[in-house]
Amino acid sequence: GAECGGSRFPRFPAVLLCPSNMGLTRVCAVVAALAMGQYGAVQNVGKATNVALHSGVAREERWQSNGHKGATLWMTGLSGSGKSTIAVALENNLVNEQNKPYFTYRLDGDNLRFGLNSDLGFSPEDRKENVRRVAEVAKLFADAGAIVLVGLIAPYKADREFARQIHQNASIPFMEIYVDAPLAVAEARDPKGLYKKAREGKIKGFTGIDAPYEAPDTPELHLRTDLHSVPACVNQILESLSKAGVHIPASFRPAAEEERCQRPLEWEGEEGKKEKKEL
């Protein structure tokens, strides 16, 4: 049998492997029947023809073995609003600060453009495809049992609604989180210097400057990052997750809110560096 960490995986049931228990022909017939029974109807989906869903271990069994449900937390907001900062802090809390680590994965918009979405630009059509791909990947991770932390500007309501719908159609928890900072605050932070370039005309189609951002009307959670600290925002998300019944214990352990963390979010932009020096 296969070895893993000094232990031995159980073998596949001998009744299906050993021709001495039943004829080889019958073994093949049983295995074939089991496999065929896992296929759904053959159909055409988009440009894909003659495909069929092949089922295996049930989602509920995966979630049970994992110790918690899978879910997608979709953080949307302007560049510099705090999506990535909050996602990293939340990921650290779930993995390192809870009584038992949670299976968590972060899908960051910039990170994904180094690979999966490196062929996409920032036209409305490419932004739509960007959201579609990320939504499908997030659904797969959540189906596997991960708490998926998506951080995308995703400026169009229709695209975010698509992400919500494919999760709801699959009966997978989905939470839209509006990470909100006024444009003036996000522009003052400007952690990557992009607002400055957009104002100088060096970047075209920049969300909030010369491209629209359609704010969510009814998000599951609305975080004002100009008013609350990172730990405070993380705790609001944890509270929402607790209400959704995703957690393992009776409740999540909150992030520590030390006195120095009570201030609104700080950034590595020029304003943030100035504030840190003053502190």
Side-chain angles (χ1 to χ4, degrees):
E3 299 263 347
C4 181
S7 62
R8 184 178 294 271
F9 285 115
R11 293 179 178 275
F12 201 72
V15 69
L16 292 182
L17 290 178
C18 182
S20 63
N21 291 339
M22 60 176 71
L24 181 58
T25 301
R26 187 179 174 195
V27 172
C28 294
V30 171
V31 173
L34 288 171
M36 288 301 293
Q38 295 171 332
Y39 277 105
V42 176
Q43 54 190 303
N44 299 332
V45 182
K47 294 182 179 180
T49 59
N50 301 311
V51 293
L53 287 172
H54 190 270
S55 61
V57 175
R59 175 195 301 160
E60 291 71 20
E61 294 180 67
R62 289 195 297 273
W63 288 3
Q64 183 66 33
S65 67
N66 202 38
H68 62 83
K69 297 178 182 178
T72 291
L73 311 185
W74 192 284
M75 302 183 201
T76 176
L78 294 172
S79 176
S81 62
K83 302 179 298 297
S84 296
T85 300
I86 292 172
V88 169
L90 178 60
E91 179 183 39
N92 181 67
N93 179 280
L94 291 170
V95 173
N96 297 317
E97 299 177 10
Q98 297 298 321
N99 293 324
K100 181 178 179 181
Y102 284 74
F103 174 26
T104 307
Y105 198 79
R106 186 166 50 89
L107 296 175
D108 181 85
D110 274 13
N111 291 357
L112 290 167
R113 286 184 179 272
F114 282 91
L116 177 67
N117 295 332
S118 61
D119 60 327
L120 300 176
F122 293 91
S123 67
E125 296 76 19
D126 280 2
R127 288 179 183 271
K128 179 177 181 177
E129 175 60 14
N130 182 55
V131 170
R132 189 195 70 80
R133 293 183 191 180
V134 177
E136 293 286 1
V137 171
K139 187 184 75 169
L140 291 174
F141 268 93
D143 183 70
I147 298 176
V148 188
L149 313 179
V150 176
L152 289 184
I153 294 175
Y156 303 118
K157 292 180 181 178
D159 297 342
R160 298 195 302 269
E161 182 59 25
F162 168 82
R164 178 188 295 278
Q165 284 299 319
I166 65 169
H167 282 74
Q168 289 182 344
N169 292 343
S171 300
I172 295 174
F174 180 90
M175 183 186 301
E176 184 179 41
I177 301 174
Y178 180 22
V179 183
D180 183 13
L183 176 60
V185 173
E187 190 168 354
R189 292 170 179 167
D190 204 9
K192 294 182 286 186
L194 301 181
Y195 282 101
K196 184 175 184 295
K197 291 182 180 180
R199 291 295 187 186
E200 294 171 349
K202 296 178 181 178
I203 298 177
K204 301 296 184 182
F206 191 78
T207 304
I209 303 299
D210 59 347
Y213 177 75
E214 300 171 359
D217 294 322
T218 56
E220 277 74 12
L221 191 58
H222 185 173
L223 301 177
R224 284 291 302 272
T225 62
D226 57 324
L227 302 178
H228 302 289
S229 68
V230 175
C233 291
V234 167
N235 284 336
Q236 289 185 57
I237 298 173
L238 292 176
E239 183 179 349
S240 294
L241 279 174
S242 290
K243 292 178 180 178
V246 173
H247 51 73
I248 302 168
S251 61
F252 285 107
R253 293 180 62 187
E257 294 194 51
E258 300 174 5
E259 183 177 351
R260 61 182 177 82
C261 292
Q262 295 297 331
R263 303 174 66 255
L265 291 170
E266 296 176 9
W267 308 95
E268 289 301 323
E270 292 303 316
E271 290 297 319
K273 292 175 182 176
K274 180 180 177 183
E275 291 178 1
K276 287 185 178 180
K277 288 180 180 179
E278 292 174 353
L279 288 174

